[in-house]
C-alpha cells in the first residue's frame, strides 16, 4: 500500500464509489462541458442558481476515480453558497492543487481529502476538471447577467 | 525463463542499468517501451565517449578532431541504414519520427499537393501521422481521408483500394505497427496498391523498426519514418528514409548551415543528399548513440526480437485472460500484432489502473496514446497499455497480472 495512500484516501474512494449529485438537472441555469485533453476524461456539470445562490448541482461524465470523486466533493461543497463564494472556493482549491496554500476545510468540505493529489502532477488535472468546468460556467453566467441576457 | 531460444531477457537486462536501480524494491517492471525504450550501457557509453574523445562540430573543421567527429557521425548513419537496408544517401537524421513525417509533409506536400488532392491516413494513426497532413491540407486545399478499421482493429484493404481507384489520392501515410492497438499493417501490400494509382507511400515505422525486421528495400514504400528513443537510442534523434530519386526532386525542409552547397545574395544551392535535409548542427552525440543502438539490435537480430515478442504477447494473452472482464483491443492473434497490448477493465479507469499497478513498481501507460481518432472509433476515452521489449519476460507479465488483482482489491471493486 505504501505511497499511494495520500492519493487514494478512504474519503476519496467513498465519493468515487458513491458519487453525490450524480446526473443532469432538468432546467439548469448553467450547463458546461469540460474535457481533459490529456486523458480524454469528459464531464458535464449543470447547476441551478436562485438569487445568486447555488441551489442545486449535478455532474455526469466519464473519468478516473480522482476526477469523479472531485466532482462529487465539489458538488457537496458548493450547494447553498453565493456565486462569489463559489468562485473563491474554486480559486482556493486551485491554489491548493498547486501547493500555494494549505487546504482549508471550511472552504472545501470533503474536498480537503484531495490535498494529497497535489503530489501527483499528472493527476492534478483530473482533480481540477470539475472545478474548472464550474468556473467556466459561472463566469459565462455572470457575463450574461451583466449584459442582461 | 527465456521464452525463445535466441533471447534471454535475464541476460540482456544486465545491459540496462536502469532496470536494476539501487533502492527499487521490488525491482522495476518496465512495460512501457512503446512510449520509450530503456537504453543499454553500450549506447550510453558511446555518447559519453563521443564527448570525452572526439567532440567537435561535424563537416566543418579541417583539423583531425573534427574529422574524427564527422567520421563517427557518418558511421552512425551507415549503421542505421544497414539496420533497415536503406541507401545511405536516403537516410536522413531528424529530431524524431514526428519531424521526419513533417519533413515529408512540408518539403513534398506543400509543393506538390493541389486543391482537391487526397491524402490518405488511417484511423489508427498516431497524431504525428495525422496533424502534419491536416496542416498541409489547410495550406494546399488538399483533403485528408481516414482509412477505417474493422472491429478487430485491422485496416479494411478493400476500402483502401476502392478509394485509391475512385479518388485522386497522392499520398498514403500509414503506420506499420499501431502503438495503440498493436496491429501489424500489411504495408508492403498497401504500397503496391498505392503505386498502381501513382500515390506515394510513407510508412511510420516507429513501432516496427525497433521490434521486427524492416527492410526499406523490400517494403516498397517511398518514405519510412522512425524514432531513436524507441529503439534503444537516445531522445532527440529520429530518421527519415526516403527513395533518393524522390528526395532529389524535393526542395529542402529547413534552411540554414550544413544543407547548402552555395549561398549567394541572389539565392542558394542545396547540398547533396542526405545533407540537403539536415540544416544546422545535427544532434551528433545522439546520432552516435543511435548508431550503436542499431548495431546492438543487429547483433541480437530483429528476427529473434520479433520471435521473442510474439511469445511474450502470447503468454500475456493467456495470463491476462485470468482477469475478469479484462478486454484487449486490436487483433487477438499474436501473429498479427506487435508488442503493445491495449486493454481495459470494466470497473477501473485506465488512469487508476496505471497509478495503482505502479504501487508494485509496474510501469504501464494510460491515456489516448496520441491516437484520439482511434479512441473515438473504439468508443473509449482511454485505455491502459502494456508494451514489452527484449528485456521483458514472463515474470514481468506475471507481475502485471498480480498488480492488476491488487489494484482491484484496493479499489474494492
Ligand atoms: C506509431 C508512432 N508514430 C510516431 C510516434 C512519434 O514519435 P516521436 O514522438 O518520437 O516523434 C510514436 C511515438 O509515440 C508512435 O508510437
Amino acid at each position: 500500500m505504501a505511497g499511494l495512500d495520500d492519493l487514494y484516501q478512504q474519503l476519496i474512494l467513498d465519493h468515487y464509489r458513491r458519487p453525490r449529485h450524480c446526473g443532469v438537472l432538468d432546467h439548469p441555469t448553467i450547463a458546461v462541458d469540460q474535457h481533459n485533453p490529456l486523458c480524454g476524461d469528459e464531464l458535464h456539470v449543470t447547476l441551478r442558481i436562485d438569487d445568486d445562490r447555488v441551489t442545486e448541482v449535478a455532474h455526469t461524465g466519464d473519468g478516473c476515480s480522482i476526477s469523479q470523486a472531485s466532482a462529487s466533493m465539489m458538488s457537496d461543497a458548493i450547494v447553498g453558497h453565493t456565486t462569489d463564494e463559489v468562485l473563491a472556493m474554486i480559486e482556493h482549491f486551485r491554489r491548493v492543487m498547486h501547493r500555494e496554500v494549505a487546504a482549508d476545510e471550511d472552504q472545501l468540505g470533503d474536498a480537503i481529502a484531495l490535498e494529497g493529489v497535489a503530489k501527483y502532477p499528472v493527476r492534478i488535472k483530473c482533480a481540477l476538471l470539475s472545478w474548472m468546468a464550474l468556473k467556466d460556467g459561472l463566469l459565462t453566467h455572470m457575463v450574461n447577467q451583466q449584459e442582461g441576457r | 525463463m527465456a521464452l525463445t531460444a535466441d533471447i534471454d531477457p535475464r541476460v540482456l537486462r544486465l545491459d540496462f542499468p536502469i532496470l536494476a536501480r539501487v533502492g527499487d524494491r521490488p525491482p522495476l517492471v518496465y512495460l512501457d517501451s512503446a512510449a520509450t525504450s530503456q537504453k543499454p550501457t553500450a549506447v550510453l557509453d558511446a555518447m559519453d565517449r563521443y564527448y570525452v574523445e572526439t567532440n567537435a562540430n561535424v563537416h566543418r573543421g579541417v583539423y583531425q578532431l573534427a574529422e574524427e567527429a564527422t567520421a563517427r557521425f557518418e558511421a552512425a548513419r551507415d549503421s542505421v541504414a544497414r539496420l533497415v537496408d536503406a541507401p545511405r544517401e536516403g537516410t536522413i537524421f531528424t529530431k524524431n519520427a514526428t519531424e521526419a513525417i513533417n519533413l515529408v509533409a512540408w518539403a513534398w506536400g506543400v509543393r506538390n499537393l493541389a486543391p482537391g488532392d487526397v491524402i490518405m491516413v488511417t484511423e489508427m494513426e498516431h497524431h504525428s501521422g495525422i496533424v502534419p497532413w491536416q496542416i498541409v491540407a489547410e495550406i494546399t486545399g488538399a483533403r485528408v481521408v481516414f482509412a477505417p478499421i474493422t472491429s478487430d482493429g485491422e485496416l479494411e484493404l478493400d476500402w483502401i483500394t476502392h478509394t485509391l481507384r475512385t479518388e485522386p489520392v497522392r499520398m498514403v501515410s500509414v503506420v506499420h505497427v499501431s502503438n495503440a492497438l498493436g496491429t501489424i499493417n500489411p504495408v508492403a501490400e498497401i504500397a503496391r496498391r498505392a503505386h498502381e494509382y501513382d500515390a506515394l507511400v510513407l510508412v511510420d515505422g516507429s513501432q516496427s523498426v525497433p521490434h521486427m525486421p524492416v527492410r526499406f528495400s523490400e517494403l516498397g514504400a517511398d518514405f519510412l519514418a522512425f524514432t531513436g528513443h524507441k529503439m534503444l537510442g537516445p531522445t532527440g534523434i529520429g530518421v527519415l528514409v526516403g527513395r533518393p530519386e524522390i528526395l532529389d526532386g524535393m526542395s529542402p525542409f529547413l534552411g540554414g548551415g550544413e544543407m547548402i552547397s552555395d549561398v549567394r545574395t541572389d539565392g542558394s544551392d542545396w547540398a547533396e543528399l542526405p545533407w540537403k535535409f539536415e540544416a544546422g548542427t545535427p544532434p551528433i552525440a545522439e546520432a552516435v548513440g543511435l548508431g550503436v543502438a542499431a548495431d546492438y539490435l543487429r547483433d541480437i537480430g530483429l528476427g529473434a526480437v520479433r520471435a521473442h515478442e510474439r511469445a511474450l504477447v502470447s503468454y500475456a494473452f493467456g495470463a491476462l485472460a485470468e482477469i475478469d472482464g479484462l478486454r484487449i483491443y486490436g487483433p487477438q492473434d499474436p501473429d498479427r500484432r506487435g508488442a503493445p497490448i491495449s486493454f481495459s477493465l470494466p470497473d477501473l479507469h485506465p488512469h487508476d489502473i496505471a497509478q495503482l499497478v505502479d504501487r508494485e513498481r509496474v510501469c504501464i501507460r494510460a491515456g489516448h496514446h496520441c491516437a484520439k481518432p482511434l479512441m473515438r472509433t473504439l468508443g473509449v476515452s482511454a485505455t491502459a497499455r502494456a508494451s514489452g521489449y527484449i528485456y521483458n519476460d514472463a515474470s514481468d507479465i506475471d507481475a502485471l497480472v498480480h498488480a492488476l488483482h491488487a489494484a482491484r482489491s484496493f479499489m474494492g471493486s
Side-chain angles (χ1 to χ4, degrees), chain A residues 1-2 4-5 7-8 10 13 16-17 35-42 62-66 120 122-123 126, chain B residues 347-353 355-360 366-368 372 376 380-382 406 409-413:
Chain A
M1 299 285 141
L4 284 181
D5 293 350
L7 187 62
Y8 293 112
Q10 274 314 316
L13 293 182
Y16 167 57
R17 292 184 195 125
H35 84 279
N36 180 346
L38 223 60
C39 59
D41 283 0
E42 283 173 10
D62 171 28
C64 66
S65 59
I66 303 298
Y120 298 84
V122 201
R123 306 301 293 276
C126 310
Chain B
D347 47 337
L348 287 183
H349 189 278
H351 257 170
D352 292 317
I353 297 175
Q355 190 99 58
L356 287 164
V357 300
D358 186 41
R359 285 189 314 159
E360 318 281 330
H368 53 60
K372 286 193 108 175
R376 282 193 195 101
V380 298
S381 60
S409 59
F410 178 82
M411 293 299 264
S413 45

Side-chain angles (χ1 to χ4, degrees), chain B residues 73 104 118 132 137 154 185 284 294 325 361 404:
Chain B
F73 179 68
V104 179
V118 169
E154 305 211 27
N185 288 317
I284 307 168
R361 314 295 289 128
L404 288 170

Side-chain angles (χ1 to χ4, degrees), chain B residues 34-35 95-101 124-129 175-180 204-207 226-230 237 365 369-370 385:
Chain B
K95 185 169 71 181
N96 46 33
T98 303
E99 191 182 77
I101 298 171
M124 67 171 92
E125 228 51 36
H126 187 278
H127 292 165
S128 63
V175 67
H176 195 174
V177 172
S178 159
N179 62 310
D204 175 355
S206 301
Q207 301 288 352
F226 50 101
T227 197
H229 66 95
K230 295 188 203 281
I237 184 112
R365 178 74 189 274
H369 316 295
C370 296
R385 181 189 70 190

Side-chain angles (χ1 to χ4, degrees), chain B residues 145-372:
Chain B
V145 300
F146 287 77
I149 56 169
T150 64
S151 55
D152 242 11
E154 305 211 27
L155 289 174
E156 288 188 25
L157 288 186
D158 289 347
W159 187 96
I160 291 175
T161 309
H162 178 78
T163 306
L164 285 166
R165 192 164 52 228
T166 53
E167 304 255 16
V169 179
R170 304 283 315 280
M171 168 61 74
V172 178
S173 187
V174 56
V175 67
H176 195 174
V177 172
S178 159
N179 62 310
L181 288 174
T183 316
I184 302 173
N185 288 317
V187 285
E189 176 59 22
I190 292 170
R192 197 184 59 70
R193 295 186 192 195
H195 285 157
E196 274 177 37
Y197 297 95
D198 292 329
L200 293 183
V201 177
L202 183 156
V203 170
D204 175 355
S206 301
Q207 301 288 352
S208 60
V209 170
H211 299 277
M212 58 189 61
V214 177
R215 299 172 69 82
F216 184 69
S217 55
E218 290 166 11
L219 210 54
D222 303 287
F223 302 101
L224 172 68
F226 50 101
T227 197
H229 66 95
K230 295 188 203 281
M231 52 187 288
L232 310 180
T235 56
I237 184 112
V239 180
L240 176 72
V241 172
R243 277 172 43 208
E245 59 275 27
I246 297 178
L247 292 171
D248 254 335
M250 283 161 51
S251 294
F253 169 41
L254 300 173
E258 299 277 342
M259 48 73 69
I260 41 81
S261 67
D262 190 21
V263 178
R264 300 170 309 275
T265 50
D266 65 344
S268 299
D269 299 325
W270 317 135
E272 287 171 27
L273 290 177
W275 302 287
K276 172 170 129 184
F277 292 103
E278 293 179 357
T281 300
I284 307 168
E286 286 75 7
V288 169
L290 181 57
V292 172
D295 292 344
Y296 184 99
L297 283 170
R298 258 168 54 90
D299 274 354
I300 298 176
L302 279 153
V305 174
R306 169 66 191 145
H308 165 71
E309 289 180 2
R310 194 202 161 284
L312 191 66
V313 164
S314 232
Y315 183 84
F317 267 60
L320 291 169
E322 283 172 26
I323 295 177
D324 258 1
L326 184 139
R327 168 165 181 210
I328 295 176
Y329 297 93
Q332 304 295 308
D333 174 359
D335 283 334
R336 304 178 77 86
R337 58 151 60 232
I341 301 176
S342 255
F343 64 95
S344 64
L345 293 172
D347 47 337
L348 287 183
H349 189 278
H351 257 170
D352 292 317
I353 297 175
Q355 190 99 58
L356 287 164
V357 300
D358 186 41
R359 285 189 314 159
E360 318 281 330
R361 314 295 289 128
V362 176
C363 309
I364 63 169
R365 178 74 189 274
H368 53 60
H369 316 295
C370 296
K372 286 193 108 175

